[in-house]
Amino acid sequence: MANTGIFTQSAASILQDVDEFYFGGALSWYHGTELTKDGSRVRVTLNDPESDDESQTKDHELSATRIKEAYHEAKQKGYHLCCAAAIESEQLGFGCVQDLDIILQMACYGELVFG
C-alpha cells in the first residue's frame, strides 16, 4: 500500500484516523469521537469554551475536507506540528496527540482555545 499523506488521503481514511486516534486521557478538554451513521463526518466532543462550567461539552461534526483545511491553517499560522513530516508523508494517524489536538481545535474553532 502506497503512503499517501494527508493531502491525498481518502476522506474515509482521515475520518477513521480521527475516530480511532488514541488520546490516552492526555487532554482534559477532549471527550471523544464518533463517526456519523453515514460515515461522512466525525463528531468530536470537546469542552465548551464559552461555558464557565468545565463539565459542559459541545459536539462538532467535521468533514475530512474541514480537517485537511484545519491542518493547512495550523501550518500557515505557524503552530508547532512536530509530526508534520509523518502526517504529510504517511497519513493523519501518524501524528501525535499534540498535533491532533491543534488540528481538531483549528477545525472546530479556527484557533487554539485550550491548552
Side-chain angles (χ1 to χ4, degrees):
M1 182 174 162
N3 295 332
T4 60
I6 189 172
F7 297 116
T8 56
Q9 187 178 357
S10 74
S13 179
I14 287 174
L15 296 174
Q16 184 176 6
D17 277 358
V18 171
D19 186 44
E20 294 179 354
F21 197 83
Y22 179 67
F23 285 90
L27 308 173
S28 62
W29 50 87
Y30 170 84
H31 298 279
T33 58
E34 179 182 11
L35 288 176
T36 57
K37 288 184 182 183
D38 66 2
S40 69
R41 294 178 178 269
V42 64
R43 183 174 302 109
V44 179
T45 304
L46 301 173
N47 280 9
D48 183 351
E50 296 177 9
S51 174
D52 291 334
D53 181 351
E54 290 185 9
S55 69
Q56 291 296 311
T57 61
K58 188 170 183 178
D59 292 335
H60 305 267
E61 283 195 7
L62 303 174
S63 67
T65 299
R66 180 63 195 126
I67 294 166
K68 284 182 188 181
E69 290 169 348
Y71 175 80
H72 185 70
E73 291 165 12
K75 285 192 70 167
Q76 280 187 318
K77 288 189 176 203
Y79 292 136
H80 179 69
L81 298 166
C82 59
C83 299
I87 292 170
E88 291 180 19
S89 67
E90 299 290 337
Q91 64 187 51
L92 180 62
F94 281 68
C96 64
V97 169
Q98 289 78 16
D99 288 359
L100 268 284
D101 176 37
I102 290 168
I103 294 164
L104 291 179
Q105 286 191 59
M106 289 297 298
C108 295
Y109 303 110
E111 62 183 344
L112 299 183
V113 296
F114 301 112

